[in-house]
Amino acid sequence: RPDPVTMQYTIREDRHMKMNDAFAIDEMMSKLLADVKPKYSFSKVMEGKMDLNIWRDTLRQRIRDMLGGFEDDLPDLNVKVLETEVMDGYTREFISFDAARYFTCPAYILTPDGADETTPVVVAICGHSIGINDIVGIGEDGNQYRGIEDAGYQKQFALELCRRGFRVIAPEMFNFGFLRFRHHMDIHPNHKSCHRVTMNMRMLGRNVNFYRVIACMRALDVMKERSKGADYPIGCMGISSGGLVSTLFAALDQRIDAAVISGYAVRFKGGLLENDRHCACMYFDDFAGIADGPDILSLIAPRPQLWEIASRDEFFPEFAALEAMEDVKKTYEWFGMPERFEQDRFEGLHVISGAKAYDFLKKWLMK
């Protein structure tokens, strides 16, 4: 019990305290992690032990299964434009569409002045935050941010993409912003529904990231419907949990021509599995036994991808990102296209950099 005056605990040197170190599970967990050998490592392709197309098809299907499967009977999009605002240099629309059974997803579409049906599209995927408002430049109070310096760790990157000439669609991510339980909305704009939804989904045999990925896929369907059959390049960009979704989205949806993954790309050991700071929604049943982070990221190859790696990222440590980077470099070298894999290593915390990302997407999508 704490001392009633100092509120400090007195440590008793009894047998229970002495046994703490003997029974701590650190070594056990390290050994369990060391035992894991991902079944679909890309190294097996490079070593000639597995055919490239079989590896791709099988791993993509395993990811779909891990997410809980993909429905064959997706509803009509049923797109509704709820608000349209003419801003300085662009138009911002707030829309909704039916992404899956029972799931109506809100999204912003940002269209720069002068864009047409052939202008490249980027799907902007937010991380843990107040949701899509944050990345289009709207703060907790509902007002537009005064500038990028007020825009938090995501630096209103969807709006920045629009200012660089891209059409942007930003679907809301499950558990944030508009897609939360009502009583969580009543608490605070930044109060998330992650824990309860993640646990409920596991009981239902589905991972919450299914709804995040399907929202992105269906967002592309919305833009395709709007473009009336015109062809245009497509990219995606996301940070943190949005980086996870960008990874899965680009790995599964071959319509993505180039991807930016910020503050996520790591080996699981060190990046996810030895870190107490992550939300439950970042994890999947048996993911480590199927593939490691670099293997999922190798599914994007040889399409161009750029990683943003912060020197002091408190969630996805730099060392785990650099280890993953070496693996994925070998993938692009194996394809004979090392120039398609780029990194922006910068000094700082877990934030969007943008120093290379916007130009990278311009290079590959605005040829």
Side-chain angles (χ1 to χ4, degrees), residues 230-300:
D231 289 325
Y232 50 85
I234 299 168
C236 66
M237 180 173 177
I239 183 170
S240 197
S241 61
L244 162 63
V245 177
S246 289
T247 298
L248 296 173
F249 178 33
L252 294 176
D253 196 325
Q254 296 174 70
R255 293 176 293 178
I256 299 299
D257 297 304
V260 171
I261 298 155
S262 180
Y264 173 75
V266 289
R267 280 186 179 166
F268 292 155
K269 190 175 187 296
L272 273 174
L273 299 177
E274 296 175 290
N275 192 328
D276 293 334
R277 305 194 65 176
H278 290 297
C279 178
C281 70
M282 301 292 288
Y283 296 88
F284 302 78
D285 293 341
D286 196 32
F287 205 163
I290 295 170
D292 199 353
D295 305 315
I296 309 300
L297 290 150
S298 290
L299 274 175
I300 301 171

Side-chain angles (χ1 to χ4, degrees), residues 181-212:
F181 288 113
R182 290 187 181 90
H183 67 280
H184 290 160
M185 294 179 180
D186 292 339
I187 294 171
H188 191 273
N190 201 20
H191 192 96
K192 304 163 190 73
S193 296
C194 288
H195 181 77
R196 179 176 161 192
V197 172
T198 299
M199 296 302 106
N200 286 359
M201 289 295 177
R202 291 187 68 178
M203 293 290 281
L204 296 171
R206 176 157 278 171
N207 189 283
V208 68
N209 288 287
F210 163 79
Y211 290 98
R212 295 172 176 173

Side-chain angles (χ1 to χ4, degrees), residues 25-36 269:
I25 63 172
D26 303 57
E27 288 78 14
M28 171 192 168
M29 292 304 300
S30 292
K31 290 175 181 176
L32 286 172
L33 292 177
D35 283 346
V36 173
K269 190 175 187 296

